[in-house]
C-alpha cells in the first residue's frame, strides 16, 4: 500500500485530535468548504499561521452559493443581527474576502 504523502512529499504519521462545539464544528466545516482545501490541509495551514489561498473551482463556487443561500434564509428569519450571531458575521466576512479574491482572478 502506498504511503499518503503531503504536498511536499513528507509522510504524515502523527495524529492530532481535539474537541469542538457544534457551532465551532459548523463554522470550521463552512470555512473548509469555502477554502477548497481538505479539512486536514485547512487546519494544518491555519495552525501553522500559513496563508489559506483559495483556488476558484466548481466546489468553491458551489460552497459559496450554498453559504449565501443559507445566510439569505437566516437574514430573512432574523429581525436584526445581534452579537449572538458572530459565526454568521464571520462567515459573511470570509465569503466577501473570497469573492473579492475570485473577482480579481477574472480580470
Amino acid at each position: 500500500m502506498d504511503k499518503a504523502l503531503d504536498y511536499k512529499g513528507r509522510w504524515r504519521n502523527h495524529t492530532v485530535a481535539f474537541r469542538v462545539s457544534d457551532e465551532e464544528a459548523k463554522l470550521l466545516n463552512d470555512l473548509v468548504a469555502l477554502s477548497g482545501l481538505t479539512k486536514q490541509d485547512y487546519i494544518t495551514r491555519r495552525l501553522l499561521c500559513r496563508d489559506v489561498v483559495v483556488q476558484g473551482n466548481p466546489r468553491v463556487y458551489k460552497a459559496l452559493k450554498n453559504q449565501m443561500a443559507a445566510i439569505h434564509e437566516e437574514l430573512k428569519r432574523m429581525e436584526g443581527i445581534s452579537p449572538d450571531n458572530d459565526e454568521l458575521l464571520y462567515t459573511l466576512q470570509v465569503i466577501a474576502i473570497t469573492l473579492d479574491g475570485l473577482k480579481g482572478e477574472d480580470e
Side-chain angles (χ1 to χ4, degrees):
M1 184 169 102
D2 291 331
K3 294 181 178 181
L5 302 177
D6 71 357
Y7 66 98
K8 287 190 174 182
R10 298 174 295 204
W11 185 42
R12 291 180 167 169
N13 59 344
H14 295 278
T15 301
V16 177
F18 53 93
R19 297 181 187 276
V20 295
S21 69
D22 290 340
E23 295 83 8
E24 291 167 333
K26 182 185 179 324
L27 180 58
L28 177 61
N29 289 333
D30 291 345
L31 294 172
V32 168
L34 291 170
S35 74
L37 299 171
T38 64
K39 188 181 281 189
Q40 175 178 319
D41 287 338
Y42 180 84
I43 291 171
T44 301
R45 288 182 188 187
R46 295 294 294 177
L47 286 173
L48 298 176
C49 299
R50 294 188 182 138
D51 290 336
V52 174
V53 178
V54 176
Q55 297 295 323
N57 62 46
R59 273 188 20 209
V60 171
Y61 285 110
K62 183 177 180 182
L64 285 168
K65 179 183 169 192
N66 292 342
Q67 281 298 313
M68 289 304 294
I71 289 169
H72 181 254
E73 289 302 315
E74 183 68 17
L75 289 174
K76 284 193 317 189
R77 189 185 67 76
M78 297 174 1
E79 289 198 19
I81 295 179
S82 69
D84 297 335
N85 299 1
D86 55 342
E87 288 93 2
L88 177 64
L89 293 173
Y90 184 73
T91 302
L92 275 171
Q93 183 181 26
V94 170
I95 289 171
I97 292 168
T98 302
L99 285 173
D100 189 48
L102 291 176
K103 184 174 57 174
E105 286 181 1
D106 295 338
E107 295 173 358

